[in-house]
């Protein structure tokens, strides 16, 4: 489309457990097809974000199952690079979200196999040995937008916003137009919030 020097840098922070981040990630990859942007994925952690917050027990249980997949995502990024992380996120997210598979060791291993990665990387799910690096990645993405939001967080040329929260994910030129508007909002440092009530859940088709 254009050479790399002319592309807009887009950095996308996600937790693989979040269906809304998954929806937004599918949109940004569609936008990349019709706009001169270069998307790099990074991991944040809903478990890190909420570990010191008073949240309902049901959500606390969800967060306990979220540690493993995001630890494996970080291991993939560290050992195989950001492009392989993007591939693994697509494979894992496809299984978890539209595929409705559990966030289990078996699902993680299957997703690793899908993209030609060693299943031994799944061992990272069971240890907190690299959680300092996970927290660093988390804070690189989240600190610029504060602690009152979750995932996704997107940085466009260094300017960060939470969202957009969308369902379903637009495709083609509609995806490009949504990116145009999102990028314009990041340019104004005084912009903080747009919101309306959600009327639908994640529509994966």
């Amino acid at each position: 489309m254009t050479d790399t020097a002319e592309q807009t840098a887009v950095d996308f922070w996600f937790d693989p457990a979040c269906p809304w981040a998954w929806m937004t990630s599918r949109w940004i990859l569609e936008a990349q097809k019709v706009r001169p942007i270069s998307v790099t994925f990074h991991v944040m952690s809903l478990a890190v974000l909420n570990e010191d917050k008073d949240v309902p027990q049901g959500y606390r249980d969800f967060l306990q199952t979220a540690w493993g997949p995001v630890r494996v995502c970080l291991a993939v990024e560290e050992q195989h690079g950001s492009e392989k992380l993007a591939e693994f996120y697509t494979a894992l997210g496809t299984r978890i979200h539209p595929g409705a598979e559990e966030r289990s060791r078996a699902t993680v291993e299957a997703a690793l196999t899908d993209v030609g990665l060693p299943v031994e990387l799944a061992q990272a799910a069971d240890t907190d040995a690299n959680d300092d690096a996970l927290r660093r990645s988390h804070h690189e993405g989240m600190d610029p937008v504060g602690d009152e939001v979750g995932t996704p967080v997107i940085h466009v040329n260094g300017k960060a916003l939470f969202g957009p929260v969308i369902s379903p994910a637009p495709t083609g030129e509609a995806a490009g137009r949504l990116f145009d508007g999102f990028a314009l909002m990041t340019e104004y440092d005084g912009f903080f919030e747009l919101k309306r009530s959600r009327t639908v859940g994640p529509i994966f088709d």
Side-chain angles (χ1 to χ4, degrees):
M1 181 178 294
T2 58
D3 64 50
T4 304
E6 298 173 355
Q7 291 183 334
T8 298
V10 175
D11 292 275
F12 189 109
W13 269 263
F14 71 94
D15 185 313
C18 178
W20 295 103
W22 170 255
M23 297 296 301
T24 307
S25 73
R26 300 309 94 184
W27 156 68
I28 201 66
L29 291 175
E30 283 290 317
Q32 186 174 233
K33 297 176 184 176
V34 295
R35 293 294 185 271
I37 63 178
S38 176
V39 181
T40 303
F41 286 97
H42 311 269
V43 294
M44 60 83 67
S45 169
L46 290 170
V48 169
L49 181 68
N50 291 283
E51 61 185 342
D52 295 323
K53 295 180 180 178
D54 184 15
V55 299
Q57 185 58 48
Y59 190 57
R60 179 68 60 195
D61 294 341
F62 161 82
L63 293 174
Q64 287 302 311
T65 69
W67 281 105
V70 77
R71 285 168 171 163
V72 177
C73 283
L74 182 66
V76 170
E77 181 181 19
E78 289 182 335
Q79 297 180 38
H80 297 275
S82 59
E83 291 186 7
K84 207 64 180 178
L85 172 63
E87 292 181 29
F88 176 62
Y89 179 35
T90 290
L92 182 61
T94 298
R95 288 179 172 275
I96 291 175
H97 301 301
E101 296 184 24
E102 295 182 358
R103 292 184 300 278
S104 65
R105 178 70 168 266
T107 299
V108 169
E109 290 183 351
L112 289 166
T113 300
D114 288 342
V115 295
L117 288 168
V119 295
E120 289 78 14
L121 284 166
Q123 296 172 5
D126 301 325
T127 174
D128 62 2
N130 204 29
D131 281 0
D132 284 348
L134 176 59
R135 292 173 193 279
R136 283 194 298 273
S137 179
H138 173 91
H139 286 292
E140 286 173 4
M142 301 304 294
D143 287 358
V145 292
D147 60 3
E148 297 176 353
V149 300
T151 181
V153 164
I154 298 177
H155 297 206
V156 179
N157 286 333
K159 301 291 186 68
L161 284 176
F162 165 71
V165 177
I166 54 177
S167 182
T171 60
E173 182 59 19
R177 286 175 56 81
L178 181 57
F179 176 78
D180 295 340
F182 183 85
L184 282 173
M185 287 185 288
T186 66
E187 292 179 5
Y188 181 55
D189 290 336
F191 173 78
F192 298 104
E193 186 171 357
L194 280 174
K195 191 170 184 178
R196 62 182 170 187
S197 296
R198 300 178 197 170
T199 58
V200 297
I203 300 172
F204 298 122
D205 293 335

